[in-house]
Amino acid sequence: MPLCFNTAADYLAAAREMAVIGRPALARLLAEEAADRTQDPEEAARILGDFPRPSPRQED
């Protein structure tokens, strides 16, 4: 089954999944896309706050 991301919720769900499996850089990228697709600036800020930028050495 192919993955299909159409909404901020889709990207946010994928970001959460990547965070759970230890992929913080990918989680952050997906969260950034979710935030970009969110019309409410406060919600976008909250999303980004939940997924801080990883340090360059945090993920191999």
Side-chain angles (χ1 to χ4, degrees), residues 2-47:
L3 296 176
C4 185
F5 299 110
N6 293 318
T7 66
D10 295 334
Y11 283 94
L12 189 54
R16 288 184 179 128
E17 186 175 337
M18 291 301 106
V20 166
I21 65 171
R23 301 297 306 264
L26 185 52
R28 175 61 189 210
L29 290 173
L30 289 162
E32 287 175 1
E33 186 61 33
D36 286 348
R37 292 171 180 260
T38 301
Q39 293 182 351
D40 179 4
E42 290 180 14
E43 178 66 11
R46 187 199 61 75
I47 290 169

Side-chain angles (χ1 to χ4, degrees), residues 43-59:
E43 178 66 11
R46 187 199 61 75
I47 290 169
L48 293 177
D50 288 346
F51 297 91
R53 290 189 187 275
S55 69
R57 294 180 184 233
Q58 189 171 353
E59 184 175 334

